């Protein structure tokens, strides 16, 4: 079994106009990125990186589904989502939306659903939005995820990292995951 860190909330392209265009911006900026509602020359930033993916877009949703299917077929069973609340934002309200299609990828994909039913997938989700929603302030959504996900808060992330690095034992890891 393998695990991977999933970063669906932003790409490596940076802020429009300030950083290099590497891929998605060149293909179709308005489909791949969630643009600022008042000035489409800028990205709407909920990740703190300035370049939030538009997971409401069918193109982006398909890309994210396909890469997860590919990695699941290669043996990945843990998909830890970095700032998942920032990735799962309603295009109109800019707030976290647990009912949007992006949050249903593991159910709607026949491949992921079959693997989950047969072997079980582990889907920790960081419930934090660095740039916040429509109010523009950081926000937590710890209790707002579907039962398929478990909230991976800062303490859980840090304790998991410390366990892997040999700085803490299994008791602290178990306690952090149980919360």
């Amino acid at each position: 079994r393998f695990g991977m860190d999933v970063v669906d909330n932003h790409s490596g392209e940076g802020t429009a106009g300030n950083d290099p265009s590497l891929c998605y911006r060149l293909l179709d900026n308005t489909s791949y990125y969630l643009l600022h509602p008042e000035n489409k020359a800028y990205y709407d930033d909920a990740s703190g990186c300035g370049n939030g993916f538009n997971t409401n877009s069918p193109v982006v949703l398909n890309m994210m589904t396909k890469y997860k299917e590919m990695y699941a077929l290669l043996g990945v069973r843990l998909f830890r989502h970095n700032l998942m609340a920032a990735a799962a934002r309603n295009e109109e309200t800019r707030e976290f939306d647990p009912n949007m299609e992006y949050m249903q990828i593991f159910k709607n994909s026949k491949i992921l659903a079959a693997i989950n039913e047969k072997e079980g997938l582990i889907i920790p989700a960081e419930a934090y939005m660095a740039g916040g929603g429509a109010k523009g302030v950081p926000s937590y959504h710890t209790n707002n995820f579907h039962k398929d996900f478990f909230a991976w808060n800062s303490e859980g992330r840090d304790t998991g990292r410390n366990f892997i690095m040999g700085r803490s034992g299994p008791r602290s890891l178990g306690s952090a995951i149980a919360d």
Side-chain angles (χ1 to χ4, degrees):
R1 290 188 156 211
F2 299 95
M4 71 182 287
D5 197 47
V6 175
V7 183
D8 287 345
N9 59 70
H10 69 90
S11 76
E13 288 193 292
T15 307
N18 297 328
D19 296 310
S21 295
L22 305 172
C23 54
Y24 306 110
R25 188 180 310 158
L26 295 170
L27 292 174
D28 186 356
N29 193 45
T30 58
S31 289
Y32 282 95
Y33 291 109
L34 197 55
L35 303 177
H36 195 280
E38 295 167 14
N39 188 344
K40 302 289 185 196
Y42 295 97
Y43 297 135
D44 196 23
D45 185 15
S47 67
C49 297
N51 52 352
F53 272 125
N54 182 3
T55 57
N56 300 278
S57 164
V59 173
V60 174
L61 190 63
N62 183 59
M63 173 182 72
M64 292 179 178
T65 301
K66 294 301 178 190
Y67 90 76
K68 287 176 180 144
E69 290 173 345
M70 178 187 74
Y71 282 108
L73 290 170
L74 291 171
V76 171
R77 295 298 178 263
L78 182 143
F79 293 88
R80 183 205 130 352
H81 289 78
N82 176 276
L83 297 179
M84 189 173 209
R89 293 188 307 141
N90 181 293
E91 193 169 10
E92 291 177 25
T93 66
R94 305 302 173 148
E95 295 292 340
F96 170 73
D97 182 356
N99 298 312
M100 66 181 288
E101 197 171 350
Y102 170 77
M103 295 295 289
Q104 310 301 321
I105 286 175
F106 290 94
K107 287 181 182 175
N108 292 343
S109 160
K110 291 178 183 178
I111 293 170
L112 294 170
I115 291 171
N116 193 23
E117 186 176 323
K118 183 178 178 185
E119 299 178 42
L121 296 173
I122 302 168
I123 314 167
E126 200 171 26
Y128 180 65
M129 210 184 313
K135 298 173 187 78
V137 296
S139 57
Y140 291 89
H141 300 276
T142 306
N143 297 318
N144 297 331
F145 288 96
H146 298 294
K147 64 180 177 67
D148 297 332
F149 302 92
F150 70 87
W152 185 261
N153 60 23
S154 298
E155 180 186 349
R157 179 197 62 225
D158 294 344
T159 304
R161 184 178 294 134
N162 287 335
F163 174 75
I164 291 168
M165 300 298 289
R167 295 183 217 143
S168 66
R171 186 171 292 184
S172 61
L173 180 64
S175 176
I177 290 174
D179 288 343

